[in-house]
Amino acid sequence: MTKITFLQKFKMSTITTFRWFLALTFFMYGGAKIYPGQFSTGDFTFDSTRDSAMQLAWHFFGYSDTYNLFIACGEITAALLLLIPRTATLGNIIYLPIIVNITIIDYCFNIPALGISSLLTCMSVSLLLFEYSKLKMIFISHPLGNKDLIQSTKSKKQVTLN
């Protein structure tokens, strides 16, 4: 096996491993929000001298079942799209803002899951960097804006119908 072949296989293995790890993690997070519920519900009295910021955040997020279902659907949708190779980039584009939001919440409210959310954020960013050329072609390059391409597609033949 040549060095280039090895590097290509290593890159594809890394991408696949990252995609599956991200997807499985979000399936667990999304499922936890649906049943039995990841966040605290019920009566809540916050005592800032005794209670933690995490308790405040958990009760806040647990207040609305609709919000929990919305977040769960976003996480599960991103996970499903990541598992399918043709939709993996779209899944990661959906995944990244969700996991960045989770990471910021973990950081701001001292939630112990900061390590795993930071890892997931780094993996998601890495996947986007692996797909840089594809994303550049979609979002930055404008092949239809190139005048040479437009002129070369014009046909000089005319058809007359009687």
Side-chain angles (χ1 to χ4, degrees):
M1 180 183 322
T2 66
K3 183 177 180 179
I4 294 174
T5 306
F6 172 76
L7 291 176
Q8 287 173 338
K9 288 185 179 188
F10 181 74
K11 178 183 174 184
M12 292 309 296
S13 298
T14 303
I15 290 171
T16 304
T17 303
F18 282 11
R19 282 182 30 233
W20 278 85
F21 186 78
L22 292 173
L24 293 175
T25 305
F26 258 25
F27 274 128
M28 289 187 296
Y29 280 145
K33 285 176 182 64
I34 294 172
Y35 182 81
Q38 179 180 3
F39 302 116
S40 304
T41 58
D43 293 336
F44 176 65
T45 304
F46 183 74
D47 181 3
S48 62
T49 60
R50 191 172 42 99
D51 295 333
S52 69
M54 180 179 166
Q55 286 176 310
L56 176 64
W58 250 232
H59 277 283
F60 175 77
F61 290 124
Y63 183 76
S64 171
D65 291 332
T66 305
Y67 178 77
N68 282 325
L69 288 175
F70 175 75
I71 296 300
C73 287
E75 290 174 353
I76 291 171
T77 300
L80 285 171
L81 291 172
L82 275 168
L83 291 178
I84 304 167
R86 291 183 68 132
T87 61
T89 304
L90 176 61
N92 194 30
I93 290 171
I94 294 169
Y95 194 99
L96 184 61
I98 296 171
I99 196 61
V100 166
N101 185 43
I102 292 169
T103 303
I104 291 170
I105 289 169
D106 289 354
Y107 178 76
C108 292
F109 290 95
N110 298 321
I111 296 172
L114 180 61
I116 187 69
S117 64
S118 298
L119 175 67
L120 295 173
T121 301
C122 290
M123 290 172 80
S124 182
V125 169
S126 297
L127 281 179
L128 286 180
L129 291 176
F130 281 132
E131 300 290 339
Y132 175 75
S133 59
K134 183 193 305 184
L135 293 171
K136 181 182 173 190
M137 195 168 53
I138 293 170
F139 292 110
I140 298 172
S141 300
H142 302 289
L144 294 179
N146 189 343
K147 293 179 181 177
D148 296 334
L149 180 64
I150 293 172
Q151 289 175 355
S152 66
T153 59
K154 291 183 180 178
S155 174
K156 294 182 181 181
K157 294 181 183 180
Q158 293 183 353
V159 177
T160 308
L161 300 174
N162 292 332

